Amino acid sequence: MASPISPISPTSPNLLDDPSAVTDRAPVRPDYPVRTGRLALRPVRAGDLDAIHAHRSLPEVARYLPHEPHTREATRQTLERMLAGEALAEPGDWLDLAVETGTGRVVGEVLLKRDGRAPLTGEVGFVFHPDVLGTGIPTEAVTAVLGLAFDTFGWHRVFGVCTVQDTASAALMRRVGMRHEAVARDDVHRKGGWQSTSQFAVLAAEWRRGRPRPADEQAVDALTAAFYAAFTRVGGGAVTLDAARAVLAPDAVIERVAEDGSVDRMDVDAFLAPREALLNGPGLTDFTEVEVAATTLVADGRATRSGRYFKWGVRDGVPFSAWGRKTFRFGTASGTWLIESFAWTDEPETAAAD
């Protein structure tokens, strides 16, 4: 992570009284390259065309980006715009940095945008080649660029945005310490349809404090994630709900609340059996459900988690999507957390945009 060029004290009186005064004193260009344990972050170059095209041309990368998979000409035009992004001299400027490994390979890009309206705030963005996912490289690179925002530029707040379907980007922003703040429903229109987005953010004080969440909250996070992930079906592959059963207490009580307020109560087997059959049937060939916002309260060996979820898939060849709410109640026995009950309400389905 880069060291500050001109250190700025976060407790300086004029930072609190007049943020614009700090903006005037802060550096606008890092000391390149910005080095981490395995990486170098530096401005993109004309010679990066092949490396950047290698990931921006992939359908799985472009799926959640505003553009379709790049042609080589589209990558060249994007690169020309990025070449100017070496500094954050003016509000609205982008800083576009190539992520280079120790072997000299460019495996992605990280970006900072200086907010045009509020001093000392900005946006982070990133895109990586799929073959470095799971290596820790994306986390290392985004951590480094957040260090630039707070330690070099003296920013107060950084936010990031992804579509609700882009669970990998959401997970990355959580890993680097960003909090989920909001879901904006159908707020962008791209690729032939409306898409909902999730917003994450982190403040300078949170970044410097770096306090981990309590172990009980992390345990509840893990159980919730495991429960949702158990119901994923991709490309018609076989699904078992053993992972969902493993996080449910044997005597768990499950309730589905209909739109008219009526309640369908069931035990674990009555809940899992028909859903496993549906997931493995010929109709529902693809299905994913993810939590996009939640509040967790933990006290005295009990926990309650209330949140919104988003689901999408393909049924009988037709894409669909829907929102809903779930409230989980957890208990712990002998140090092991389990879901003791939950209730959910589905909202009406809509045709999913590609």
Side-chain angles (χ1 to χ4, degrees):
M1 189 175 299
S3 299
I5 297 173
S6 301
I8 301 170
S9 169
T11 58
S12 171
N14 58 0
L15 186 152
L16 299 175
D17 297 338
D18 184 8
S20 63
V22 179
T23 305
D24 292 341
R25 296 196 340 253
V28 299
R29 186 182 188 279
D31 187 10
Y32 295 122
V34 178
R35 297 195 179 277
T36 70
R38 294 178 291 174
L39 308 171
L41 276 55
R42 47 125 178 117
V44 296
R45 304 166 183 156
D48 295 328
L49 175 60
D50 289 342
I52 292 175
H53 184 63
H55 56 259
R56 284 191 174 255
S57 62
L58 297 175
E60 60 267 40
V61 172
R63 180 180 181 185
Y64 300 122
L65 295 176
H67 58 73
E68 299 293 344
H70 267 182
T71 63
R72 189 173 180 83
E73 176 60 20
T75 303
R76 186 191 64 77
Q77 293 177 7
T78 297
L79 186 62
E80 287 182 354
R81 293 192 296 270
M82 294 169 63
L83 290 174
E86 295 190 22
L88 296 174
E90 300 293 336
D93 281 355
W94 276 100
L95 186 72
D96 298 289
L97 303 180
V99 179
E100 187 177 87
T101 67
T103 63
R105 179 192 171 199
V106 172
V107 295
E109 308 143 47
V110 288
L111 309 97
L112 283 177
K113 182 180 181 181
R114 182 175 166 186
D115 196 291
R117 299 163 298 174
L120 302 181
T121 65
E123 181 178 357
V124 65
F126 46 84
V127 57
F128 295 94
H129 195 287
D131 66 8
V132 301
L133 303 183
T135 65
I137 284 175
T139 301
E140 189 172 331
V142 176
T143 299
V145 81
L146 288 176
L148 287 179
F150 294 122
D151 298 332
T152 298
F153 299 130
W155 286 2
H156 170 69
R157 182 176 184 271
V158 176
F159 71 92
V161 178
C162 65
T163 64
V164 295
Q165 295 98 328
D166 189 359
T167 55
S169 292
L172 173 53
M173 285 189 277
R174 285 190 173 97
R175 283 199 301 276
V176 298
M178 302 178 76
R179 293 169 291 100
H180 184 265
E181 290 193 331
V183 173
R185 299 182 63 181
D186 289 356
D187 70 322
V188 295
H189 191 276
R190 62 174 62 146
K191 299 181 178 178
W194 288 101
Q195 297 184 5
S196 301
T197 59
S198 288
Q199 180 164 305
F200 296 78
V202 60
L203 303 178
E206 296 168 330
W207 172 261
R208 295 187 178 98
R209 182 169 63 243
R211 182 177 61 85
R213 299 177 70 226
D216 287 342
E217 289 188 19
Q218 293 184 48
V220 169
D221 288 348
L223 259 67
T224 306
F227 179 85
Y228 278 107
F231 295 87
T232 302
R233 189 184 197 192
V234 179
V239 177
T240 72
L241 295 182
D242 294 344
R245 185 182 295 274
V247 299
L248 289 165
D251 58 350
V253 176
I254 302 163
E255 297 178 334
R256 180 181 183 274
V257 182
E259 290 185 62
D260 62 5
S262 61
V263 177
D264 179 17
R265 181 172 294 181
M266 61 201 85
D267 62 16
V268 172
D269 289 331
F271 171 73
L272 292 179
R275 284 157 183 82
E276 187 166 300
L278 178 64
L279 285 167
N280 287 298
L284 192 63
T285 53
D286 289 85
F287 183 78
T288 305
E289 186 174 272
V290 296
E291 186 181 65
V292 296
T295 300
T296 303
L297 299 174
V298 181
D300 300 325
R302 292 288 184 270
T304 300
R305 187 183 188 96
S306 299
R308 290 182 59 80
Y309 61 87
F310 183 69
K311 61 183 179 180
W312 68 94
V314 178
R315 183 190 297 111
D316 298 326
V318 179
F320 70 92
S321 65
W323 294 81
R325 294 183 179 275
K326 277 192 176 76
T327 298
F328 294 93
R329 289 181 172 83
F330 302 81
T332 180
S334 303
T336 301
W337 284 93
L338 290 172
I339 298 171
E340 295 184 335
S341 67
F342 73 88
W344 87 95
T345 302
D346 285 317
E347 297 179 13
E349 291 183 2
T350 60
D354 292 335

Short mmCIF file of all heavy atoms in Angstrom, two decimals, residues 278-328:
data_model
loop_
_atom_site.label_atom_id
_atom_site.label_comp_id
_atom_site.label_asym_id
_atom_site.label_seq_id
_atom_site.Cartn_x
_atom_site.Cartn_y
_atom_site.Cartn_z
N LEU A 278 -38.53 -29.50 -6.97
CA LEU A 278 -38.69 -28.41 -7.94
C LEU A 278 -37.36 -28.03 -8.57
O LEU A 278 -37.26 -27.85 -9.79
CB LEU A 278 -39.31 -27.20 -7.23
CG LEU A 278 -39.51 -25.94 -8.10
CD1 LEU A 278 -40.51 -26.21 -9.20
CD2 LEU A 278 -39.98 -24.78 -7.23
N LEU A 279 -36.33 -27.92 -7.75
CA LEU A 279 -35.02 -27.53 -8.27
C LEU A 279 -34.46 -28.56 -9.23
O LEU A 279 -33.73 -28.22 -10.17
CB LEU A 279 -34.03 -27.31 -7.11
CG LEU A 279 -34.22 -26.04 -6.30
CD1 LEU A 279 -33.41 -26.10 -5.01
CD2 LEU A 279 -33.81 -24.81 -7.12
N ASN A 280 -34.76 -29.84 -9.02
CA ASN A 280 -34.23 -30.90 -9.88
C ASN A 280 -35.17 -31.29 -11.01
O ASN A 280 -34.86 -32.18 -11.79
CB ASN A 280 -33.90 -32.12 -9.03
CG ASN A 280 -32.67 -31.93 -8.18
OD1 ASN A 280 -31.58 -31.71 -8.70
ND2 ASN A 280 -32.82 -31.96 -6.86
N GLY A 281 -36.31 -30.61 -11.10
CA GLY A 281 -37.25 -30.90 -12.17
C GLY A 281 -36.82 -30.32 -13.49
O GLY A 281 -35.86 -29.54 -13.58
N PRO A 282 -37.52 -30.65 -14.57
CA PRO A 282 -37.13 -30.17 -15.90
C PRO A 282 -37.48 -28.71 -16.14
O PRO A 282 -36.96 -28.10 -17.07
CB PRO A 282 -37.95 -31.07 -16.84
CG PRO A 282 -39.16 -31.45 -16.03
CD PRO A 282 -38.68 -31.55 -14.60
N GLY A 283 -38.35 -28.13 -15.33
CA GLY A 283 -38.79 -26.76 -15.59
C GLY A 283 -37.84 -25.70 -15.12
O GLY A 283 -37.44 -24.80 -15.88
N LEU A 284 -37.42 -25.79 -13.85
CA LEU A 284 -36.57 -24.74 -13.26
C LEU A 284 -35.10 -25.11 -13.47
O LEU A 284 -34.47 -25.75 -12.64
CB LEU A 284 -36.88 -24.61 -11.76
CG LEU A 284 -36.30 -23.39 -11.05
CD1 LEU A 284 -36.86 -22.10 -11.62
CD2 LEU A 284 -36.59 -23.47 -9.56
N THR A 285 -34.55 -24.71 -14.60
CA THR A 285 -33.20 -25.13 -14.96
C THR A 285 -32.11 -24.29 -14.32
O THR A 285 -30.97 -24.74 -14.19
CB THR A 285 -33.02 -25.10 -16.48
OG1 THR A 285 -33.39 -23.80 -16.97
CG2 THR A 285 -33.91 -26.15 -17.13
N ASP A 286 -32.43 -23.04 -13.96
CA ASP A 286 -31.46 -22.16 -13.31
C ASP A 286 -32.17 -21.41 -12.19
O ASP A 286 -33.28 -20.92 -12.37
CB ASP A 286 -30.87 -21.15 -14.30
CG ASP A 286 -29.93 -21.80 -15.30
OD1 ASP A 286 -30.43 -22.30 -16.32
OD2 ASP A 286 -28.71 -21.82 -15.03
N PHE A 287 -31.48 -21.30 -11.03
CA PHE A 287 -32.07 -20.57 -9.92
C PHE A 287 -30.98 -20.08 -8.98
O PHE A 287 -30.06 -20.84 -8.63
CB PHE A 287 -33.04 -21.45 -9.13
CG PHE A 287 -33.75 -20.72 -8.02
CD1 PHE A 287 -34.81 -19.88 -8.29
CD2 PHE A 287 -33.32 -20.85 -6.70
CE1 PHE A 287 -35.46 -19.19 -7.28
CE2 PHE A 287 -33.95 -20.16 -5.68
CZ PHE A 287 -35.02 -19.33 -5.97
N THR A 288 -31.06 -18.83 -8.58
CA THR A 288 -30.14 -18.24 -7.60
C THR A 288 -30.94 -17.31 -6.71
O THR A 288 -31.80 -16.57 -7.19
CB THR A 288 -29.02 -17.45 -8.28
OG1 THR A 288 -28.33 -18.28 -9.21
CG2 THR A 288 -28.01 -16.94 -7.24
N GLU A 289 -30.65 -17.34 -5.42
CA GLU A 289 -31.28 -16.45 -4.46
C GLU A 289 -30.20 -15.90 -3.54
O GLU A 289 -29.40 -16.67 -2.99
CB GLU A 289 -32.34 -17.20 -3.64
CG GLU A 289 -33.16 -16.33 -2.72
CD GLU A 289 -34.28 -17.11 -2.05
OE1 GLU A 289 -35.37 -17.19 -2.65
OE2 GLU A 289 -34.05 -17.67 -0.96
N VAL A 290 -30.15 -14.57 -3.39
CA VAL A 290 -29.11 -13.96 -2.57
C VAL A 290 -29.73 -12.91 -1.65
O VAL A 290 -30.70 -12.24 -2.01
CB VAL A 290 -28.01 -13.29 -3.43
CG1 VAL A 290 -27.26 -14.31 -4.26
CG2 VAL A 290 -28.59 -12.20 -4.32
N GLU A 291 -29.15 -12.78 -0.48
CA GLU A 291 -29.52 -11.72 0.45
C GLU A 291 -28.81 -10.44 0.01
O GLU A 291 -27.60 -10.45 -0.22
CB GLU A 291 -29.09 -12.10 1.85
CG GLU A 291 -29.53 -11.14 2.92
CD GLU A 291 -29.05 -11.58 4.30
OE1 GLU A 291 -27.81 -11.60 4.50
OE2 GLU A 291 -29.89 -11.90 5.15
N VAL A 292 -29.57 -9.35 -0.09
CA VAL A 292 -28.96 -8.10 -0.55
C VAL A 292 -28.96 -7.01 0.51
O VAL A 292 -28.30 -5.98 0.33
CB VAL A 292 -29.65 -7.58 -1.83
CG1 VAL A 292 -29.47 -8.54 -2.97
CG2 VAL A 292 -31.14 -7.32 -1.58
N ALA A 293 -29.66 -7.20 1.61
CA ALA A 293 -29.65 -6.24 2.71
C ALA A 293 -30.18 -6.93 3.94
O ALA A 293 -31.13 -7.72 3.86
CB ALA A 293 -30.48 -5.01 2.38
N ALA A 294 -29.57 -6.67 5.11
CA ALA A 294 -30.01 -7.36 6.32
C ALA A 294 -29.59 -6.59 7.56
O ALA A 294 -28.62 -5.83 7.55
CB ALA A 294 -29.43 -8.77 6.39
N THR A 295 -30.34 -6.81 8.64
CA THR A 295 -30.02 -6.29 9.97
C THR A 295 -29.97 -7.46 10.93
O THR A 295 -30.88 -8.30 10.94
CB THR A 295 -31.09 -5.29 10.45
OG1 THR A 295 -31.14 -4.19 9.53
CG2 THR A 295 -30.74 -4.76 11.83
N THR A 296 -28.89 -7.54 11.74
CA THR A 296 -28.70 -8.65 12.66
C THR A 296 -28.61 -8.13 14.09
O THR A 296 -27.88 -7.19 14.37
CB THR A 296 -27.41 -9.43 12.33
OG1 THR A 296 -27.48 -9.89 10.98
CG2 THR A 296 -27.25 -10.63 13.26
N LEU A 297 -29.36 -8.75 14.98
CA LEU A 297 -29.30 -8.46 16.42
C LEU A 297 -28.94 -9.74 17.15
O LEU A 297 -29.60 -10.78 16.96
CB LEU A 297 -30.64 -7.92 16.91
CG LEU A 297 -31.14 -6.62 16.28
CD1 LEU A 297 -32.55 -6.30 16.78
CD2 LEU A 297 -30.19 -5.47 16.59
N VAL A 298 -27.89 -9.69 17.99
CA VAL A 298 -27.43 -10.86 18.73
C VAL A 298 -27.41 -10.52 20.21
O VAL A 298 -26.86 -9.48 20.61
CB VAL A 298 -26.02 -11.29 18.28
CG1 VAL A 298 -25.57 -12.53 19.06
CG2 VAL A 298 -25.98 -11.57 16.79
N ALA A 299 -28.00 -11.40 21.04
CA ALA A 299 -27.99 -11.19 22.49
C ALA A 299 -28.34 -12.49 23.19
O ALA A 299 -29.28 -13.19 22.80
CB ALA A 299 -28.99 -10.10 22.89
N ASP A 300 -27.55 -12.84 24.22
CA ASP A 300 -27.84 -13.96 25.11
C ASP A 300 -28.07 -15.27 24.37
O ASP A 300 -29.03 -16.01 24.64
CB ASP A 300 -29.08 -13.64 25.97
CG ASP A 300 -28.87 -12.40 26.83
OD1 ASP A 300 -27.74 -12.20 27.29
OD2 ASP A 300 -29.85 -11.65 27.04
N GLY A 301 -27.20 -15.58 23.43
CA GLY A 301 -27.29 -16.86 22.74
C GLY A 301 -28.41 -16.97 21.73
O GLY A 301 -28.74 -18.07 21.28
N ARG A 302 -29.02 -15.85 21.36
CA ARG A 302 -30.07 -15.82 20.35
C ARG A 302 -29.74 -14.72 19.35
O ARG A 302 -29.08 -13.74 19.67
CB ARG A 302 -31.44 -15.54 20.98
CG ARG A 302 -31.97 -16.67 21.86
CD ARG A 302 -32.40 -17.86 21.00
NE ARG A 302 -32.98 -18.92 21.78
CZ ARG A 302 -32.29 -19.93 22.30
NH1 ARG A 302 -30.97 -19.96 22.15
NH2 ARG A 302 -32.90 -20.89 22.96
N ALA A 303 -30.22 -14.89 18.14
CA ALA A 303 -30.00 -13.89 17.10
C ALA A 303 -31.23 -13.79 16.21
O ALA A 303 -31.89 -14.80 15.95
CB ALA A 303 -28.77 -14.23 16.27
N THR A 304 -31.51 -12.58 15.75
CA THR A 304 -32.57 -12.34 14.78
C THR A 304 -31.96 -11.61 13.59
O THR A 304 -31.21 -10.66 13.76
CB THR A 304 -33.70 -11.48 15.39
OG1 THR A 304 -34.25 -12.17 16.52
CG2 THR A 304 -34.80 -11.24 14.37
N ARG A 305 -32.31 -12.06 12.40
CA ARG A 305 -31.79 -11.43 11.19
C ARG A 305 -32.96 -11.19 10.24
O ARG A 305 -33.65 -12.13 9.83
CB ARG A 305 -30.75 -12.32 10.51
CG ARG A 305 -30.04 -11.66 9.31
CD ARG A 305 -29.11 -12.66 8.68
NE ARG A 305 -28.25 -12.10 7.66
CZ ARG A 305 -27.01 -11.68 7.84
NH1 ARG A 305 -26.49 -11.73 9.06
NH2 ARG A 305 -26.28 -11.22 6.85
N SER A 306 -33.19 -9.93 9.91
CA SER A 306 -34.25 -9.55 9.00
C SER A 306 -33.62 -8.94 7.76
O SER A 306 -32.75 -8.06 7.87
CB SER A 306 -35.20 -8.53 9.64
OG SER A 306 -35.82 -9.09 10.79
N GLY A 307 -34.05 -9.40 6.60
CA GLY A 307 -33.42 -8.89 5.39
C GLY A 307 -34.27 -9.06 4.15
O GLY A 307 -35.28 -9.76 4.14
N ARG A 308 -33.83 -8.41 3.08
CA ARG A 308 -34.43 -8.54 1.76
C ARG A 308 -33.57 -9.47 0.93
O ARG A 308 -32.35 -9.52 1.09
CB ARG A 308 -34.52 -7.18 1.06
CG ARG A 308 -35.53 -6.24 1.69
CD ARG A 308 -35.61 -4.94 0.92
NE ARG A 308 -35.98 -5.15 -0.47
CZ ARG A 308 -37.23 -5.36 -0.90
NH1 ARG A 308 -38.22 -5.39 -0.02
NH2 ARG A 308 -37.50 -5.51 -2.18
N TYR A 309 -34.23 -10.21 0.05
CA TYR A 309 -33.48 -11.06 -0.86
C TYR A 309 -33.98 -10.85 -2.28
O TYR A 309 -35.08 -10.34 -2.52
CB TYR A 309 -33.58 -12.54 -0.46
CG TYR A 309 -34.99 -13.11 -0.48
CD1 TYR A 309 -35.54 -13.64 -1.64
CD2 TYR A 309 -35.76 -13.13 0.67
CE1 TYR A 309 -36.82 -14.15 -1.66
CE2 TYR A 309 -37.04 -13.64 0.67
CZ TYR A 309 -37.57 -14.15 -0.51
OH TYR A 309 -38.84 -14.66 -0.51
N PHE A 310 -33.13 -11.24 -3.22
CA PHE A 310 -33.43 -11.15 -4.64
C PHE A 310 -33.17 -12.51 -5.24
O PHE A 310 -32.15 -13.15 -4.92
CB PHE A 310 -32.54 -10.09 -5.30
CG PHE A 310 -32.84 -9.86 -6.76
CD1 PHE A 310 -34.01 -9.25 -7.16
CD2 PHE A 310 -31.93 -10.25 -7.73
CE1 PHE A 310 -34.28 -9.02 -8.50
CE2 PHE A 310 -32.19 -10.03 -9.08
CZ PHE A 310 -33.36 -9.41 -9.47
N LYS A 311 -34.08 -12.98 -6.07
CA LYS A 311 -33.91 -14.28 -6.71
C LYS A 311 -34.16 -14.15 -8.20
O LYS A 311 -34.95 -13.30 -8.64
CB LYS A 311 -34.83 -15.32 -6.10
CG LYS A 311 -36.32 -15.03 -6.23
CD LYS A 311 -37.14 -16.10 -5.53
CE LYS A 311 -38.64 -15.80 -5.63
NZ LYS A 311 -39.44 -16.84 -4.95
N TRP A 312 -33.48 -15.00 -8.98
CA TRP A 312 -33.68 -14.99 -10.41
C TRP A 312 -33.37 -16.38 -10.96
O TRP A 312 -32.72 -17.19 -10.30
CB TRP A 312 -32.81 -13.93 -11.08
CG TRP A 312 -31.32 -14.18 -11.04
CD1 TRP A 312 -30.56 -14.79 -12.00
CD2 TRP A 312 -30.41 -13.82 -9.99
NE1 TRP A 312 -29.24 -14.82 -11.61
CE2 TRP A 312 -29.12 -14.23 -10.40
CE3 TRP A 312 -30.57 -13.18 -8.76
CZ2 TRP A 312 -28.00 -14.04 -9.59
CZ3 TRP A 312 -29.45 -12.99 -7.96
CH2 TRP A 312 -28.18 -13.42 -8.38
N GLY A 313 -33.86 -16.65 -12.15
CA GLY A 313 -33.63 -17.96 -12.74
C GLY A 313 -34.30 -18.08 -14.09
O GLY A 313 -34.71 -17.10 -14.71
N VAL A 314 -34.39 -19.34 -14.54
CA VAL A 314 -35.02 -19.66 -15.83
C VAL A 314 -36.01 -20.79 -15.59
O VAL A 314 -35.62 -21.86 -15.11
CB VAL A 314 -33.98 -20.07 -16.88
CG1 VAL A 314 -34.67 -20.45 -18.19
CG2 VAL A 314 -32.96 -18.96 -17.11
N ARG A 315 -37.27 -20.53 -15.89
CA ARG A 315 -38.33 -21.54 -15.74
C ARG A 315 -38.99 -21.77 -17.08
O ARG A 315 -39.48 -20.83 -17.71
CB ARG A 315 -39.37 -21.08 -14.72
CG ARG A 315 -40.46 -22.11 -14.45
CD ARG A 315 -41.61 -21.55 -13.64
NE ARG A 315 -41.20 -21.12 -12.31
CZ ARG A 315 -41.17 -19.86 -11.91
NH1 ARG A 315 -41.53 -18.90 -12.77
NH2 ARG A 315 -40.81 -19.54 -10.69
N ASP A 316 -38.97 -23.03 -17.53
CA ASP A 316 -39.53 -23.38 -18.84
C ASP A 316 -38.97 -22.50 -19.94
O ASP A 316 -39.68 -22.08 -20.87
CB ASP A 316 -41.06 -23.27 -18.81
CG ASP A 316 -41.69 -24.22 -17.80
OD1 ASP A 316 -41.15 -25.33 -17.63
OD2 ASP A 316 -42.71 -23.86 -17.19
N GLY A 317 -37.67 -22.20 -19.83
CA GLY A 317 -36.98 -21.41 -20.84
C GLY A 317 -37.18 -19.92 -20.75
O GLY A 317 -36.65 -19.17 -21.58
N VAL A 318 -37.93 -19.45 -19.75
CA VAL A 318 -38.23 -18.01 -19.62
C VAL A 318 -37.56 -17.44 -18.38
O VAL A 318 -37.79 -17.94 -17.26
CB VAL A 318 -39.76 -17.79 -19.53
CG1 VAL A 318 -40.06 -16.30 -19.39
CG2 VAL A 318 -40.46 -18.37 -20.75
N PRO A 319 -36.72 -16.41 -18.52
CA PRO A 319 -36.09 -15.80 -17.33
C PRO A 319 -37.13 -15.12 -16.45
O PRO A 319 -38.12 -14.57 -16.94
CB PRO A 319 -35.12 -14.76 -17.93
CG PRO A 319 -34.93 -15.18 -19.35
CD PRO A 319 -36.22 -15.81 -19.77
N PHE A 320 -36.88 -15.14 -15.13
CA PHE A 320 -37.76 -14.46 -14.18
C PHE A 320 -36.92 -13.93 -13.04
O PHE A 320 -35.77 -14.33 -12.83
CB PHE A 320 -38.83 -15.42 -13.63
CG PHE A 320 -38.26 -16.49 -12.72
CD1 PHE A 320 -38.20 -16.28 -11.34
CD2 PHE A 320 -37.78 -17.68 -13.23
CE1 PHE A 320 -37.67 -17.25 -10.51
CE2 PHE A 320 -37.24 -18.65 -12.40
CZ PHE A 320 -37.19 -18.44 -11.03
N SER A 321 -37.49 -13.02 -12.27
CA SER A 321 -36.83 -12.52 -11.06
C SER A 321 -37.90 -12.06 -10.09
O SER A 321 -39.04 -11.80 -10.48
CB SER A 321 -35.86 -11.37 -11.38
OG SER A 321 -36.56 -10.24 -11.86
N ALA A 322 -37.53 -11.95 -8.82
CA ALA A 322 -38.47 -11.50 -7.79
C ALA A 322 -37.71 -11.08 -6.55
O ALA A 322 -36.56 -11.47 -6.33
CB ALA A 322 -39.48 -12.61 -7.44
N TRP A 323 -38.38 -10.29 -5.72
CA TRP A 323 -37.86 -9.85 -4.43
C TRP A 323 -38.66 -10.50 -3.31
O TRP A 323 -39.76 -11.01 -3.53
CB TRP A 323 -37.96 -8.34 -4.30
CG TRP A 323 -37.10 -7.57 -5.24
CD1 TRP A 323 -37.36 -7.28 -6.56
CD2 TRP A 323 -35.84 -6.99 -4.95
NE1 TRP A 323 -36.34 -6.56 -7.10
CE2 TRP A 323 -35.39 -6.36 -6.13
CE3 TRP A 323 -35.05 -6.92 -3.80
CZ2 TRP A 323 -34.18 -5.68 -6.20
CZ3 TRP A 323 -33.85 -6.24 -3.87
CH2 TRP A 323 -33.42 -5.64 -5.06
N GLY A 324 -38.12 -10.45 -2.11
CA GLY A 324 -38.84 -10.95 -0.96
C GLY A 324 -38.15 -10.56 0.33
O GLY A 324 -37.10 -9.90 0.32
N ARG A 325 -38.75 -10.98 1.44
CA ARG A 325 -38.19 -10.70 2.77
C ARG A 325 -38.15 -11.98 3.58
O ARG A 325 -39.07 -12.80 3.50
CB ARG A 325 -39.02 -9.65 3.51
CG ARG A 325 -38.98 -8.27 2.89
CD ARG A 325 -39.76 -7.25 3.72
NE ARG A 325 -39.70 -5.93 3.14
CZ ARG A 325 -38.73 -5.06 3.35
NH1 ARG A 325 -37.72 -5.40 4.15
NH2 ARG A 325 -38.73 -3.87 2.78
N LYS A 326 -37.07 -12.14 4.35
CA LYS A 326 -36.96 -13.27 5.27
C LYS A 326 -36.54 -12.75 6.65
O LYS A 326 -35.72 -11.83 6.76
CB LYS A 326 -35.92 -14.29 4.80
CG LYS A 326 -36.41 -15.28 3.77
CD LYS A 326 -35.39 -16.41 3.59
CE LYS A 326 -35.92 -17.46 2.63
NZ LYS A 326 -35.85 -17.04 1.24
N THR A 327 -37.10 -13.37 7.68
CA THR A 327 -36.66 -13.12 9.05
C THR A 327 -36.26 -14.45 9.67
O THR A 327 -37.08 -15.37 9.76
CB THR A 327 -37.78 -12.47 9.89
OG1 THR A 327 -38.11 -11.20 9.32
CG2 THR A 327 -37.31 -12.27 11.33
N PHE A 328 -34.98 -14.57 10.03
CA PHE A 328 -34.44 -15.78 10.64
C PHE A 328 -34.30 -15.56 12.15
O PHE A 328 -33.98 -14.46 12.60
CB PHE A 328 -33.04 -16.09 10.10
CG PHE A 328 -32.99 -16.46 8.64
CD1 PHE A 328 -32.75 -15.50 7.67
CD2 PHE A 328 -33.15 -17.78 8.24
CE1 PHE A 328 -32.68 -15.84 6.32
CE2 PHE A 328 -33.07 -18.13 6.90
CZ PHE A 328 -32.84 -17.16 5.94
#
